[in-house]
């Protein structure tokens, strides 16, 4: 008799963004004459930067000629891309990250969901923020690292509450942890962590022989020059942290698919007997066994981000979405809501003080605008909604006019 992985039964029936899509689809089916504007899921709307597009086309053309055709590439990514990443994203910021510490992949969601496989399923303490990108929690539930979900929280997780009281940046817990998830600029709150705050996490991880899984998918949106873009800007982080990065949001690759994960060679984790093992070969083993690399034209397109033209064009793309973020934040603040995010992140986290699904339904039904209910990101998300800056200017302006008309009533 084939049996299921019963850990899946502990999960909520469907993924947050699938739940939202269902409600939105039901609304549009019932109201075909009321066009909906989507400021829910953080999906980009603007075309790929010209430099990426040209490199993408050139990559496709190379596949058309025997002399330049490529079959399987290196699973970890082509050297041209890994070297460009190491140089521009890390070495230029003083981080000693080498090209062979970078693993190119088809997405940060997959990487931050898969990474937990190389760690023990029993006997490790998880520390996960609340609210949080649901992938971190759900993949650990699937792997059996948690108990049941009681009142919205899984047993076995140390929740790091991000609330108005701590400016939505949790401090290190008083108890020990082994595997710590952090995301800055934060999804969903848009909060950023200062150098001092990150340094406290690095010190905590080192003291606990723990590993930080640092999701920096939104680093390109940081405007404040004092905010670190990488955890490796903190001395010693290469001994205790893995970092996830993505081309999805800075270069519009959500549909093109390219991301990368940094696993420093100095990083160690331990077996049951307490012997230290390098983590890099474990992730390399997992990656090469289960993944055959990102397609060549896509990697060419991603590498174009690092050309002079690519840098200017991705900067302009980020500035475009950040101007949307400012409009959203100014409007919601003007309506009397306390908001964070939107200054160094494409998300605005709005403290509505009301049931977040009810607020979501109100905006959907009365303004035909989709946001994301905070409760979907965890219990501390209750009383909040997230509005995403990823849309055209026209749609953002239209959505804000409709929201204003509804909320001013
Ligand atoms: C979000 O809306 O939280 C993001 O789009 C999720 C993701 O990048 O997978």
């Amino acid at each position: 008799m084939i049996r299921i992985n019963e850990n899946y039964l502990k999960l909520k029936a469907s993924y947050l963004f699938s739940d939202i899509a269902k409600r939105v689809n039901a609304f549009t089916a019932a109201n075909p004459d009321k066009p909906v504007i989507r400021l829910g899921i953080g999906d980009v709307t603007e075309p790929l930067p010209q430099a990426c597009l040209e490199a993408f086309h050139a990559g496709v053309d190379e596949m058309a000629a025997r002399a330049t055709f490529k079959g399987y590439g290196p699973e970890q990514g082509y050297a041209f891309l890994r070297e460009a990443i190491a140089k521009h994203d890390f070495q230029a910021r003083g981080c000693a990250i080498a090209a062979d510490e970078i693993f190119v992949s088809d997405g940060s969601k997959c990487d931050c969901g898969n990474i937990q496989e190389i760690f023990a399923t029993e006997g490790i303490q998880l520390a996960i923020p609340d609210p949080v990108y649901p992938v971190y929690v759900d993949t650990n539930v699937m792997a059996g690292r948690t108990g049941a979900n009681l009142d919205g929280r899984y047993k076995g997780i140390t929740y790091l509450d991000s609330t108005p009281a701590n400016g939505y940046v949790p401090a290190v817990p008083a108890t020990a942890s082994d595997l710590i998830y952090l995301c800055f600029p934060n999804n969903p709150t848009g909060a950023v962590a200062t150098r001092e705050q990150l340094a406290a996490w690095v010190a905590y991880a080192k003291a606990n022989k723990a590993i930080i899984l640092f999701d920096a998918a939104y680093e390109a949106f940081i405007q404040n020059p004092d905010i670190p873009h990488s955890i490796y800007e903190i001395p010693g982080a290469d001994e205790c942290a893995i970092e996830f990065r993505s081309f999805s949001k800075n270069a519009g690759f959500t549909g093109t698919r390219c991301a990368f994960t940094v696993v420093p060679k100095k990083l160690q984790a331990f077996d049951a007997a307490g012997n230290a093992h390098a983590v890099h070969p474990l992730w390399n083993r997992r990656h090469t066994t289960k993944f055959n690399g990102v397609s060549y034209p896509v990697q060419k397109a991603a590498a174009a981000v690092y050309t002079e033209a690519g840098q200017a064009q991705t900067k302009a793309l980020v500035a475009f979405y950040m101007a949307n973020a400012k409009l959203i934040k100014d409007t919601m603040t003007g309506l009397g809501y306390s908001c964070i995010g939107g200054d160094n992140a494409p998300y605005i986290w709005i403290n509505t003080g009301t049931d977040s699904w009810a607020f979501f339904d109100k905006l959907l039904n009365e303004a035909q605008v989709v946001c994301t209910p905070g409760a979907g990101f965890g219990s501390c998300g209750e009383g909040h909604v997230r509005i995403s800056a990823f849309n055209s200017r026209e749609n953002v302006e239209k959505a804000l006019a409709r929201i204003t008309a509804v909320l001013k009533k």
Side-chain angles (χ1 to χ4, degrees), residues 120-142:
T121 45
E122 275 171 24
I124 67 167
Q125 183 60 44
L126 297 167
I128 306 185
D130 177 359
V132 76
Y133 181 42
V135 174
Y136 314 154
V137 174
D138 288 2
T139 53
N140 278 289
V141 175
M142 291 169 179

Side-chain angles (χ1 to χ4, degrees), residues 177-190:
S177 314
D178 305 300
L179 193 58
I180 304 153
Y181 287 78
L182 295 178
C183 172
F184 291 110
N186 189 261
N187 179 13
T189 68

Side-chain angles (χ1 to χ4, degrees), residues 14-267:
S14 63
Y15 184 60
L16 170 62
F17 292 105
S18 318
D19 270 351
I20 293 173
K22 260 187 239 152
R23 287 200 193 204
V24 175
N25 292 342
F27 178 86
T28 45
N31 302 278
D33 53 326
K34 292 187 177 164
V36 161
I37 299 175
R38 292 163 204 265
L39 301 178
I41 193 164
D43 194 5
V44 294
T45 53
E46 303 309 297
L48 292 178
Q50 189 60 27
C52 298
L53 212 55
E54 283 166 15
F56 206 170
H57 279 295
V60 172
D61 286 343
E62 284 184 60
M63 300 301 265
R66 184 173 297 276
T68 48
F69 174 79
K70 308 270 184 303
Y72 292 125
E75 295 95 334
Q76 302 88 344
Y78 283 99
F80 65 79
L81 178 56
R82 299 169 87 197
E83 281 162 12
I85 293 169
K87 183 168 163 219
H88 293 272
D89 282 336
F90 297 101
Q91 292 158 11
R93 300 195 71 84
C95 310
I97 296 296
D100 62 358
E101 296 177 306
I102 288 158
F103 293 83
V104 175
S105 78
D106 61 352
S108 274
K109 179 180 186 175
C110 322
D111 286 352
C112 64
N114 291 329
I115 194 80
Q116 46 76 31
E117 276 186 33
I118 61 171
F119 301 110
T121 45
E122 275 171 24
I124 67 167
Q125 183 60 44
L126 297 167
I128 306 185
D130 177 359
V132 76
Y133 181 42
V135 174
Y136 314 154
V137 174
D138 288 2
T139 53
N140 278 289
V141 175
M142 291 169 179
R145 279 190 201 88
T146 71
N149 188 331
L150 304 172
D151 300 328
R153 289 197 151 182
Y154 290 97
K155 272 175 79 95
I157 295 179
T158 300
Y159 284 92
L160 307 168
D161 291 356
S162 311
T163 63
N166 58 19
Y168 301 93
V169 178
V172 301
T175 51
S177 314
D178 305 300
L179 193 58
I180 304 153
Y181 287 78
L182 295 178
C183 172
F184 291 110
N186 189 261
N187 179 13
T189 68
V192 285
T194 62
R195 196 168 296 278
E196 294 67 35
Q197 286 166 326
L198 289 182
W201 278 106
V202 167
Y204 170 81
K206 291 181 89 168
N208 284 283
K209 294 188 170 167
I211 285 183
I212 297 171
L213 300 175
F214 190 76
D215 184 348
Y218 298 93
E219 63 80 28
F221 295 85
I222 295 173
Q223 309 292 310
N224 178 341
D226 298 331
I227 299 294
H229 286 235
S230 167
I231 187 96
Y232 304 119
E233 290 179 48
I234 310 302
D238 55 353
E239 292 165 32
C240 66
I242 290 173
E243 183 164 305
F244 304 95
R245 290 278 189 104
S246 172
F247 295 100
S248 281
K249 316 286 160 123
N250 64 335
F253 273 51
T254 55
T256 307
R257 312 303 310 148
C258 197
F260 60 93
T261 288
V262 185
V263 185
K265 292 201 168 155
K266 281 188 191 166
L267 188 70

Side-chain angles (χ1 to χ4, degrees), residues 196-376:
E196 294 67 35
Q197 286 166 326
L198 289 182
W201 278 106
V202 167
Y204 170 81
K206 291 181 89 168
N208 284 283
K209 294 188 170 167
I211 285 183
I212 297 171
L213 300 175
F214 190 76
D215 184 348
Y218 298 93
E219 63 80 28
F221 295 85
I222 295 173
Q223 309 292 310
N224 178 341
D226 298 331
I227 299 294
H229 286 235
S230 167
I231 187 96
Y232 304 119
E233 290 179 48
I234 310 302
D238 55 353
E239 292 165 32
C240 66
I242 290 173
E243 183 164 305
F244 304 95
R245 290 278 189 104
S246 172
F247 295 100
S248 281
K249 316 286 160 123
N250 64 335
F253 273 51
T254 55
T256 307
R257 312 303 310 148
C258 197
F260 60 93
T261 288
V262 185
V263 185
K265 292 201 168 155
K266 281 188 191 166
L267 188 70
Q268 295 189 321
F270 303 87
D271 63 24
N275 303 306
H277 297 265
V279 172
H280 185 279
L282 302 184
W283 183 244
N284 190 54
R285 186 70 170 84
R286 193 257 170 228
H287 194 78
T288 51
T289 303
K290 296 196 176 184
F291 189 61
N292 259 338
V294 174
S295 83
Y296 174 73
V298 168
Q299 292 193 59
K300 288 279 283 186
V305 164
Y306 300 102
T307 60
E308 209 180 315
Q311 289 284 286
Q313 291 159 11
T314 48
K315 221 171 147 196
L317 199 52
V318 165
F320 172 80
Y321 290 125
M322 289 306 285
N324 285 348
K326 181 169 170 15
L327 285 176
I328 297 167
K329 191 170 189 177
D330 287 351
T331 301
M332 296 310 289
T333 308
L335 287 167
Y337 293 95
S338 138
C339 307
I340 64 144
D343 298 326
N344 294 287
Y347 296 128
I348 296 87
W349 187 240
I350 300 150
N351 190 345
T352 65
T354 55
D355 180 273
S356 65
W357 277 105
F359 198 89
F360 167 90
D361 284 333
K362 186 177 175 67
L363 289 196
L364 177 60
N365 293 317
E366 297 177 33
Q368 292 86 55
V369 174
V370 182
C371 64
T372 309

